[in-house]
Amino acid sequence: MSKHTLLVLMGLAFLSFTSFNFEVGQVIDRYYDVPVYFNGNDYRNVNGRNVTSDGYNLGLKYQCVEYVKRFYYEVYEHKMPNSYGHAKDLFDPELGDVDFNAERGLMQYRNTRYEKPQEGDILIYGKSGHNPFGHTGIICEVGPDYVVLIQQNFGTKTRQRLVLAEFQGIYTVADYDVLGWLRHVE
């Protein structure tokens, strides 16, 4: 038996003992010890509302917005003044670049700008042809030419590496429909 064949058989044996059938509500990743939950393979799944013990609305369980708001609540003790809305609604298109988003209680940055996004920023996507609600996640890593997004309600793909393009000092997260990001500022 060749070395290659042996490796393939070992891989198949491993897969046969490994479960990739996650249950809705199962923890599939963590960042700053804040769990990312599986929401199934249909982004429209709804599993009730998640509300903190002090009555703050985190959002619909296992949706992307619920993860982002839960992360900010647990890590920064931040409550958004307006705790409702879809992912795309987190970004206020009426605001100028680097402006305070009063509805969210956070600084807002447009996608194309002179400053890179930072670890801990909330990245926001607008609606697209296949998703009218938009999408959001937390930037968990920033490199010279990339950012890594941790997200919930994107199947089992909890982390996604996105290109961070720079041209003459202007940075852009080069992915379709990215509106910008929000940042907690003390």
Side-chain angles (χ1 to χ4, degrees):
M1 182 179 309
S2 74
K3 185 176 180 180
H4 181 265
T5 304
L6 182 61
L7 288 174
V8 169
L9 290 174
M10 288 173 57
L12 290 173
F14 171 77
L15 290 175
S16 69
F17 293 108
T18 306
S19 172
F20 290 103
N21 296 320
F22 297 107
E23 304 256 342
V24 171
Q26 182 177 346
V27 175
I28 57 174
D29 200 349
R30 289 181 180 277
Y31 177 59
Y32 276 87
D33 207 33
V34 178
V36 173
Y37 297 104
F38 181 63
N39 191 36
N41 292 315
D42 183 349
Y43 70 89
R44 297 168 295 189
N45 281 346
V46 174
N47 296 285
R49 187 165 295 280
N50 190 0
V51 179
T52 63
S53 60
D54 63 358
Y56 176 61
N57 169 48
L58 293 172
L60 299 174
K61 285 183 182 176
Y62 319 133
Q63 291 287 324
C64 60
V65 172
E66 186 270 344
Y67 172 70
V68 163
K69 288 171 51 191
R70 185 166 36 84
F71 180 89
Y72 262 56
Y73 181 81
E74 291 182 20
V75 173
Y76 300 113
E77 298 179 357
H78 179 81
K79 294 181 184 179
M80 292 184 181
N82 178 357
S83 67
Y84 290 88
H86 299 297
K88 66 181 176 60
D89 301 325
L90 297 176
F91 191 87
D92 184 346
E94 301 297 318
L95 294 177
D97 188 25
V98 191
D99 209 346
F100 185 72
N101 184 327
E103 283 200 357
R104 306 305 170 185
L106 302 165
M107 287 301 293
Q108 178 172 291
Y109 300 82
R110 293 188 176 275
N111 187 21
T112 303
R113 60 168 293 89
Y114 290 101
E115 185 176 334
K116 283 182 175 184
Q118 295 177 2
E119 185 178 331
D121 286 352
I122 300 170
L123 189 70
I124 304 162
Y125 288 81
K127 67 181 181 176
S128 66
H130 64 279
N131 182 348
F133 310 113
H135 187 60
T136 189
I138 302 290
I139 295 174
C140 63
E141 184 181 339
V142 178
D145 59 355
Y146 69 91
V147 297
V148 176
L149 182 70
I150 186 166
Q151 60 201 344
Q152 187 168 269
N153 196 25
F154 208 74
T156 58
K157 187 175 184 178
T158 60
R159 296 186 190 228
Q160 188 172 0
R161 185 177 170 134
L162 306 170
V163 171
L164 179 62
E166 184 267 332
F167 180 73
Q168 296 182 348
I170 297 173
Y171 295 93
T172 302
V173 177
D175 201 18
Y176 294 106
D177 305 313
V178 173
L179 299 173
W181 52 88
L182 299 176
R183 179 175 297 156
H184 181 262
V185 181
E186 294 191 38

